[in-house]
Amino acid sequence: MIRRVLGFSPVVAAGLVSVAAAEGDVAYGEYLASECTTCHLLGATEATGGVPLITGWDAETFVLILKDFKTGVRDNAAMELVTARLGEEEMAALAAYFAQAE
Amino acid sequence: MTNRRTVLRGLAAAGGLLAAPAVLADGHGKPRVVVIGGGSGGATAARYLAKDSGGALDVTLVEPSRTYFTCYFSNLYLGGFQDMKDLGHTYGTLAGAHGVNVVHDWAVDVDRDAKTVALAGGAVLPYDKLILSPGIDFVDGAVPGWDVSKQNKMPHAYKAGSQTELLKAQLEAMPEGGTFAMVAPPNPYRCPPGPYERVSMVAHMLKARNPTAKILIVDPKEKFSKQGLFEEGWQAHYAGMIDRIGPDFGGDAVSVDPEAMTVDIDGSVEQVDVCNVIPAMKAGRIADMAGVTDGRWAPVNAADMSSKVDADVYVLGDAAQQGDMPKSGFSANSQAKVCANAVRGALTGSRVFPARFSNTCWSLISTEDGVKVGATYEATPEKIAKVDGFISQTGEDSALRKATYEESLGWYAGIVSDMFGV
Ligand SMILES: Cc1cc2nc3c(=O)[nH]c(=O)nc-3n(C[C@H](O)[C@H](O)[C@H](O)COP(=O)(O)OP(=O)(O)OC[C@H]3O[C@@H](n4cnc5c(N)ncnc54)[C@H](O)[C@@H]3O)c2cc1C
């Protein structure tokens, strides 16, 4: 499942690269991430069921993936809802946090 | 509320009794947070407070059970899709890895003037901030003929564990062609789609074991959560098996006789074989004892989940009256993280970020036929207010329904690890 989506998402959204991605506020990101960890496992090496692991991405790619959900390029009702209210600052903060989380 | 005398008596009785270091501690400098209830809201709050404060807070969690059985997926256990043992979770990681002081006892009183919590074992816990997440209790007399002393004859199975196992055993022992009746609850109650997911799972199980059996839902509500999706699924998978009697036909005028195994629906008496009574609900009793309820629930401020009557007491999850969020495990977990961020900020000066909440509830209708409803929420001065949402559609293809079911498996692993630690 993870591999299938990796292939297309960052490429499709490549035009939308945000400079903010590199300088996200990790503390804000950690708080925002608590919304994600109800579904996404932290501290695991393997995903369970249909929810992928989301640690270890570089920040820039992470933001691109979130934007793909936000714009509907990637289709998942739960992720579209979550990303609908994330602005540039929130995405950068989340990317910075998850880039260093395990 | 407790008076000074009972507090003192409690203190005396506590001497040397509990393996709970915080019990008699005073003046050791660290701010103290006591959390009552180690379920979806309480375990999450305790974990985030302890984890994020890095030892700056003294966090005590009071929970009578050594194993918490999730209500979520307990319907899937009835349907044969889950094992009960996989639904039980313990508190060892909270205590060991996060340093939460886990006390297995009942909170029996709260003295908000003295800022203490009295435990059944006699100990008294002082607090700077108190978080209540006691879940639900049933309203006395809600279904005439039923009370908790009858729960073995007519189980509620709305607190998971032995009640759920009992209901399953009764369903398995049902005579061929027998009738399973459910007395559904009025709004508001925990897990709006829960009774209807349960009907789906019971139908799935009976279809294989006892295909001529009947299911009768007696319902005081005009409409129910995900109704179109459930009714479509029942027609597709369990045609002719399920009957629902709504308020127009007496679904709101029901009494039961647990000895005779009858259900009286507005004067017409039905003989049934298994009866699941889900009575009207209210906040867990300790919220009443703390004096933070107004009617059945405890009103809270949306920004931080603090009680409307006491800024040092917070109420999470099912017990809270907060506005638009459904009473779910997902909601309780979401509220707990907002609350923990605010409580930690108030006690340690750490950064406090604006409240944001979310919820998604999945339901399983039949094998790999999953549906979901979700929404995001924000804090307004009046309440937790819905921002945006989605719901599964009727007529979706089976691949999407299967993916939705698989998401729920991932979510279950996620939420229990978010509550109890990894
Ligand atoms: C059949 C069913 C299916 C469900 N399915 C879902 C689902 O799929 N998704 C979902 O999100 N939600 C689901 N729910 C709802 C979910 O279980 C609850 O909404 C959620 O657990 C509420 O969390 P809480 O913290 O308020 O209470 P709980 O999780 O019930 O925790 C309360 C805890 O407080 C303890 N307690 C109570 N009184 C005291 C006291 N005086 N002293 C000390 N401890 C005390 C109890 O022992 C308990 O452990 C379902 C519920 C049911 C019944």
Side-chain angles (χ1 to χ4, degrees), chain B residues 24 37 57 137 143 161 163 226 265 356:
Chain B
L24 298 174
L57 292 176
D137 272 308
V143 178
Q163 273 281 300
K226 303 181 190 165
I265 306 159
R356 47 198 296 136

Side-chain angles (χ1 to χ4, degrees), chain B residues 3-44:
Chain B
N3 59 33
R4 181 176 296 273
R5 185 175 296 274
T6 50
V7 172
L8 289 175
R9 227 189 305 123
L11 269 174
L17 198 131
L18 282 193
V23 170
L24 298 174
D26 53 6
H28 61 87
K30 278 192 202 177
R32 291 163 301 204
V33 184
V34 173
V35 182
I36 300 180
S40 311
T44 307

Side-chain angles (χ1 to χ4, degrees), chain A residues 25 31 34 38 48 50 76 85, chain B residues 333 337 351 354 357 377 406:
Chain A
D25 174 344
Y31 170 71
S34 72
T38 309
T48 303
N76 178 275
R85 65 169 168 179
Chain B
N333 168 270
K337 290 179 276 201
R351 287 166 74 187
F357 306 93
Y377 304 85
E406 282 167 355

Side-chain angles (χ1 to χ4, degrees), chain B residues 37 39-41 63-64 68 71 106-107 133-135 190-191 318 328-330 411:
Chain B
S40 311
E63 164 60 51
Y68 175 83
C71 283
W106 287 95
S133 195
R190 79 168 13 164
C191 196
D318 293 353
S328 74
F330 200 126
W411 160 77

Side-chain angles (χ1 to χ4, degrees), chain A residues 1 25-44 47-52 75-87 89-90 94 97, chain B residues 48 51-52 330 333-334 337-338 341 351 353-360 362 372 374-378 387-390 403 406-418 422:
Chain A
M1 161 152 286
D25 174 344
V26 177
Y28 186 32
E30 181 172 13
Y31 170 71
L32 295 171
S34 72
E35 181 181 12
C36 321
T37 53
T38 309
C39 292
H40 292 283
L41 278 171
L42 278 186
T48 303
V51 181
D75 178 20
N76 178 275
M79 281 305 297
E80 285 171 55
L81 181 69
V82 164
T83 50
R85 65 169 168 179
L86 298 177
E89 190 192 346
E90 282 75 28
L94 282 161
Y97 171 72
Chain B
Y48 273 76
K51 166 174 89 64
D52 294 344
F330 200 126
N333 168 270
S334 171
K337 290 179 276 201
V338 168
N341 180 252
R351 287 166 74 187
F353 299 104
R356 47 198 296 136
F357 306 93
S358 56
N359 176 63
T360 299
W362 290 265
K372 61 182 170 178
T376 49
Y377 304 85
E378 65 187 5
V387 177
D388 195 4
F390 67 83
E406 282 167 355
E407 261 175 50
S408 75
L409 300 176
W411 160 77
Y412 185 90
I415 192 172
V416 297
S417 123
D418 203 42
V422 277

Side-chain angles (χ1 to χ4, degrees), chain B residues 380-396:
Chain B
T380 69
E382 294 76 41
K383 62 170 185 175
I384 297 182
K386 181 172 166 177
V387 177
D388 195 4
F390 67 83
I391 182 164
S392 296
Q393 301 299 304
T394 52
E396 284 172 348

